[in-house]
Amino acid sequence: MEDGEKEEIRRRIDIVELISAYSPLKKTGGRYKGLCPFHQERTPSFTVDPVLGRWHCFGGCAEGGDIFKFLMKAEGLTFPEAVEKLAAKAGVALTRRGMDKETSARLSNEKDRLYSANALAAQFFRECLRRDSGPRTYCERRKLAYETLDAFQIGWAPDDWSQLANYLLRNGVRAEDAEKAGLIFPSRRGDGFTDKFRARLIFPILDAQERIVAFGGRLIESVEGAPKYLNSPETPVFSKSAVLYALNRARKAIQSDDKVLVVEGYMDAVACHQAGIENVVATLGTSLTERHVEVLRRYTKTVILCFDADAAGERAALRAADLFRAAGPEFTLKVLVLPPGDDPDSMLSRGDAPAFRRALDLALTVPEFQLQAMQPRFDLREESGRIEYLRAAIPILAQIPSSLERDRLIRKLAPNHPSYASGGSRAEESIREEIRRHQPFGPRDSDDFFEGNAPRRPYSPRTGGGGAAKEWGGQRGGWRNQPPPLPTPPPEAGKVKRSAVAQAEEVLLRALLSDEWSLFTAQRLGASSASQLLTDPRAVALLEALQPLLVGHVAPSQAVGQLRDESLIDFASTYLLGEFTDPLTGDGIEGCIERLVKDRLQKANRVLIEKPETLDNDALRRWSQSAKAIKQSDPEAA
């Protein structure tokens, strides 16, 4: 995308109209105010300036930006996705990086044709469902309401070889485009085209921009040799490793609830949404991938997995856990365990939503899920079976980095210990001792544990015997002492009184960006001495960028609009969009400059007096130049 295209999108998109679709705005003077759409609040702190084309939250978020930043945050989009969506809305053709305009336009046109072919196919499938009583009866039996069918655009592919192909060709879709979209393929007889989907309930798959990129088809009757689910192939607009079904409908609920439930099938996701559980997405017949993890990261860091209650489901959950663990420690991962033979669709379609919600609340951590999943392999009615179960559980417990989570599971496992009858605490400590033995550098002999003997003192890796308890810090961390407790925050945390210097800088920045005082302040704060007066590097950079424009009688909002550094624009917007009660005056501005000059001189003098040995000749020369510049700025103060 070229800079001119970005500016054209900004010019064509009404920022007030865009944001009003997410949160109502009320005009106040030349600006608009409303409740922030990104956090809960009762008093409006969200301000939009249509002239500047910026928004800023002065409440809990303390964030701001332009139309692109807003859409990225509101819908969890990447910057290219936000640009593409706004470009389509504005009617701006984008130039793709590394391509000339002709090639870029050709590829864009090709994708647009595929989107159009998919949209027309979805219309065909919907019409077929309305006409055919068989699949409608199936939907009624599966408790799918008409409103749900309509919201998810669910349709029906008739049991015919070429109805869709003929429909698309009659309506102007080129055969090569329909084939590239994965909707049809050449007939084996060489006399036309064959439909990809036949005799299946059709689930359109939409991307984050609400465009149909692919389809999933489900058999409603078992057919020998035919897969239950059939998905579109990979196409220029569809990659199953990066797309999650129903994310387009779930993203707002995911952000609001700050968690996502990942299920395996279309029907599971649809059933959850129909039951009012809307923070739900589904994989497309594949395991979770790294790209899926990156997509979910935009919306939340809390993920609940719901896979089939069998060995394959257990493996899938553990593979997903490895992916999220590799993606970073910020993720919280849990596993939803349902009664044997049940899935979200079966529970919710029979009206068991309360039990499903309880199961969601009781979702297990991954280690807890592992421990529960392997229980059926052991006969826990016999002591030998319980001991074998504990043997298998120890490696899982040893890998848990959180001591709180580890202690919680130790308490749950303690009743299986041979010593539990003589004291729960003794059994728990014995399990802890065995965990320490199992961890790297610990003793390997485990006979004492399984004989139920009294546990020895905690193992010390330094001495090999008893000693102070240690904690394993991960594969690379090694043994370490327990970390010290977090410091107690000081009273009135978050209400630190700002220094007089900080307050003075704030007044000068307000004056610099006000229509009435900008020229006066820019002239008074000459760029030559700005770095000597201001302590905030952002303030220095902003003054240096704006000073020639303001001296040239450019209005502050227009001057900021000419900047190219987005971080500087965001910084300036906090002053342009802010509401301040104390008025600006010439004397007040002069007083703030005097305060900064005196502060700078005092600091420089203090260094000369207290630590002259730290100043070499170059430092002395620089200080001399700084003092000269400051004296020229305000001789009386110097």
Side-chain angles (χ1 to χ4, degrees), residues 81-108:
E81 289 171 341
V83 169
E84 193 171 354
K85 186 167 185 175
L86 289 171
K89 182 179 177 68
V92 175
L94 296 175
T95 301
R96 300 179 185 277
R97 183 174 296 177
M99 299 182 185
D100 55 49
K101 284 185 175 291
E102 183 179 347
T103 304
S104 179
R106 179 176 56 79
L107 290 177
S108 295

Side-chain angles (χ1 to χ4, degrees), residues 131-145:
R131 293 196 304 262
D132 199 323
S133 61
R136 287 205 315 273
T137 301
Y138 172 82
C139 292
E140 292 171 4
R141 190 169 69 249
R142 297 299 299 264
K143 303 295 178 63
L144 290 174

Side-chain angles (χ1 to χ4, degrees), residues 539-554:
V540 174
L542 184 63
L543 177 62
E544 291 175 345
L546 293 182
Q547 200 265 350
L549 295 172
L550 297 177
V551 171
H553 298 274
V554 177

Side-chain angles (χ1 to χ4, degrees), residues 135-458:
R136 287 205 315 273
T137 301
Y138 172 82
C139 292
E140 292 171 4
R141 190 169 69 249
R142 297 299 299 264
K143 303 295 178 63
L144 290 174
Y146 174 81
E147 293 78 10
T148 301
L149 296 174
D150 191 52
F152 284 87
Q153 304 181 52
I154 296 172
W156 169 251
D159 190 6
D160 188 275
W161 291 100
S162 57
Q163 273 199 47
L164 174 62
N166 294 334
Y167 179 86
L168 293 175
L169 296 177
R170 282 198 313 270
N171 284 275
V173 176
R174 300 192 304 190
E176 56 267 34
D177 290 334
E179 183 180 357
K180 189 168 286 188
L183 297 169
I184 62 176
F185 56 89
S187 171
R188 294 176 182 175
R189 296 177 298 186
D191 58 353
F193 292 90
T194 300
D195 294 349
K196 169 78 172 179
F197 300 98
R198 301 184 301 278
R200 291 176 181 271
L201 200 65
I202 299 296
F203 297 83
I205 300 166
L206 282 72
D207 65 7
Q209 296 167 245
E210 303 289 339
R211 299 172 301 199
I212 298 176
V213 297
F215 297 91
R218 186 191 193 283
L219 289 174
I220 63 175
E221 293 181 1
S222 180
V223 178
E224 186 176 354
K228 183 178 179 180
Y229 284 100
L230 180 66
N231 292 320
S232 294
E234 299 274 317
T235 73
V237 297
F238 173 61
S239 173
K240 66 175 63 177
S241 65
V243 177
L244 291 162
Y245 180 69
L247 180 61
N248 61 302
R249 299 187 62 84
R251 59 191 177 204
K252 290 184 180 178
I254 294 172
Q255 289 175 311
S256 175
D257 298 344
D258 194 21
K259 64 183 174 184
V260 61
L261 172 63
V262 182
V263 297
E264 285 191 288
Y266 305 109
M267 291 295 292
D268 288 335
V270 171
C272 287
H273 281 259
Q274 181 171 273
I277 305 167
E278 298 181 340
N279 59 327
V280 183
V281 299
T283 54
L284 303 176
T286 61
S287 301
L288 277 170
T289 66
E290 291 180 1
R291 294 178 71 184
H292 288 143
V293 172
E294 290 306 310
V295 169
L296 291 175
R297 185 197 294 272
R298 305 175 200 166
Y299 302 92
T300 183
K301 304 298 190 301
T302 303
V303 181
I304 303 175
L305 304 174
C306 181
F307 294 135
D308 289 341
D310 54 18
E314 180 183 348
R315 290 194 297 271
L318 297 181
R319 282 196 301 270
D322 289 339
L323 281 177
F324 282 103
R325 189 179 298 113
E330 68 270 23
F331 280 103
T332 298
L333 189 65
K334 292 190 174 183
V335 182
L336 172 61
V337 178
L338 300 179
D342 263 328
D343 57 29
D345 176 41
S346 63
M347 289 188 71
L348 294 170
S349 62
R350 67 168 180 260
D352 212 356
F356 183 78
R357 291 180 183 274
R358 284 196 298 273
L360 266 177
D361 293 336
L362 298 174
L364 307 178
T365 62
V366 173
E368 193 173 12
F369 168 72
Q370 290 178 273
L371 296 175
Q372 180 170 307
M374 70 183 187
Q375 274 188 359
R377 305 173 198 166
F378 305 95
D379 185 359
L380 300 184
R381 296 170 299 180
E382 300 292 334
E383 182 175 285
S384 59
R386 293 193 295 272
I387 289 177
E388 289 303 314
Y389 175 52
L390 288 176
R391 285 184 188 274
I394 292 301
I396 296 172
L397 295 174
Q399 295 178 20
I400 299 174
S402 167
S403 59
L404 295 175
E405 172 68 4
R406 195 164 54 242
D407 285 346
R408 185 177 72 86
L409 295 182
I410 287 173
R411 286 193 296 273
K412 292 186 70 172
L413 288 173
N416 295 289
H417 193 280
S419 298
Y420 186 74
S422 57
S425 59
R426 181 182 181 188
E428 291 177 18
E429 183 53 38
S430 181
I431 295 174
R432 289 189 184 91
E433 172 68 10
E434 181 60 20
I435 292 171
R436 288 189 285 269
R437 292 167 180 267
H438 188 86
Q439 289 167 330
F441 308 118
R444 298 297 181 185
D445 188 307
S446 59
D447 290 342
D448 289 349
F449 169 74
F450 291 109
E451 293 301 324
N453 295 341
R456 295 193 297 267
R457 294 176 62 204

Side-chain angles (χ1 to χ4, degrees), residues 116-126 164 167-168 183 202 215:
S116 296
N118 285 335
L120 196 59
Q123 180 180 321
F124 169 80
F125 293 137
R126 290 289 289 134
L164 174 62
Y167 179 86
L168 293 175
L183 297 169
I202 299 296
F215 297 91

